[in-house]
Amino acid sequence: MKHFVRAHVGLFLIGIAIVAVLILCAWMFGWGGGSIDLIEYSADEIEYIELFSTDVNFGLHMSVLTEKGEIQALIDSINSFRHTGNSLKHIFKDGLFLGGSVLYGTRICLAGGTKISINFATNYSDQPRSDMEVSYWIHQPGCNTLFLNECRGSMELYFELYDKYKPIG
């Protein structure tokens, strides 16, 4: 009888360990994650959007979008990105303190004057624009996140609008 109970306890503990590993992987790799739906405003509620980047190859400037159709298209594009987990997975993949990040910023200026900053960053600037995996966060004072969420989607519209509205000079 003792052997029978001990065997079931062992199987139970193995089962719990397997479930814990699956939950950790789902969190870290975004298994089952859908679209990120970050921006909860429509173009009608937004006065303008500022786009900026730290990518020296693309140009260091700020572009300003005011056309409602383009603002809505950018909102839809960002909201359609798929959740892919968090940045902890890169520690296992690449190690610590390797490379630098390229930042892609989006500052949303609502009609009432409120500004919301949504930032995307990647350590892999050689990814195709049509399918980039980026870390993302909403900048809020006093809010620090140890492991950033990640998402994957097309940054082509971001780059197109960024280039279209860059200052001449």
Side-chain angles (χ1 to χ4, degrees), residues 13-77:
L13 292 176
I14 290 171
I16 288 177
I18 290 171
V19 168
V21 166
L22 289 174
I23 289 171
L24 177 67
C25 287
W27 171 70
M28 196 165 41
F29 296 104
W31 295 346
S35 59
I36 60 173
D37 295 322
L38 273 183
I39 304 171
E40 54 192 45
Y41 302 99
S42 72
D44 294 330
E45 300 170 274
I46 296 172
E47 189 173 333
Y48 60 93
I49 293 180
E50 299 171 336
L51 303 176
F52 57 93
S53 174
T54 62
D55 187 345
V56 294
N57 296 319
F58 197 62
L60 301 173
H61 61 270
M62 184 174 295
S63 298
V64 179
L65 281 67
T66 57
E67 203 282 314
K68 297 296 184 187
E70 291 174 334
I71 289 174
Q72 190 61 52
L74 184 63
I75 290 169
D76 294 342
S77 175

Side-chain angles (χ1 to χ4, degrees), residues 37 69 104 108 123 141:
D37 295 322
Y104 304 102
I108 299 170
N123 291 338

